[in-house]
């Protein structure tokens, strides 16, 4: 019983520490030849760390997220062959 209570408290501590980290809104894109498994691994890492995927793109291999800088660094290091480009999300307009 004590072990169960300890594990619950430890889980809550980790979750609260992760939630306290400042989060950035970014767009993560990958080269067009990147396998879907690489994107799935990145999305799982982000959501497991408390990040939120706000949009998944269909025309390009990428997605928008709100996550801590720490997890974004981890995502960048996940694949040495298919490096993601991570850019701050912003509004883009076209004018003539």
């Amino acid at each position: 019983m004590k072990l169960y209570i300890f594990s619950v408290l430890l889980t809550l501590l980790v979750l609260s520490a992760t939630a306290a980290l400042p989060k950035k809104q970014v767009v993560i894109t990958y080269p067009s030849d990147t396998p879907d498994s690489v994107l799935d691994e990145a999305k799982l890492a982000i959501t497991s760390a408390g990040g939120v995927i706000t949009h998944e793109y269909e025309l390009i291999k990428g997605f928008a997220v709100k996550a801590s800088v720490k997890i974004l660094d981890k995502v960048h290091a996940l694949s040495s062959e298919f490096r993601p480009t991570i850019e701050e999300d912003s509004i883009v307009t076209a004018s003539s």
Side-chain angles (χ1 to χ4, degrees), residues 48-68:
S48 296
V52 177
I53 298 172
T54 57
H55 187 78
E56 293 189 44
Y57 300 106
E58 294 181 20
L59 296 177
I60 59 173
K61 290 219 174 206
F63 46 92
V65 303
K66 189 169 186 178
S68 69

Side-chain angles (χ1 to χ4, degrees), residues 1-86:
M1 183 69 167
K2 288 182 183 181
L3 180 61
Y4 174 75
I5 292 172
F6 177 74
S7 63
V8 169
L9 291 176
L10 183 61
T11 302
L12 290 174
L13 178 64
V14 168
L15 289 175
S16 66
T18 304
L21 294 173
K23 296 188 177 183
K24 292 178 68 175
Q25 183 76 29
V26 299
V27 174
I28 301 174
T29 57
Y30 285 85
S32 60
D33 61 339
T34 305
D36 289 339
S37 62
V38 173
L39 276 76
D40 293 339
E41 183 181 9
K43 290 187 246 181
L44 180 62
I46 290 166
T47 55
S48 296
V52 177
I53 298 172
T54 57
H55 187 78
E56 293 189 44
Y57 300 106
E58 294 181 20
L59 296 177
I60 59 173
K61 290 219 174 206
F63 46 92
V65 303
K66 189 169 186 178
S68 69
V69 174
K70 185 175 181 179
I71 191 59
L72 295 175
D73 289 340
K74 181 180 177 184
V75 166
H76 192 267
L78 280 176
S79 174
S80 60
E81 186 176 355
F82 303 102
R83 288 277 187 206
T85 301
I86 301 176

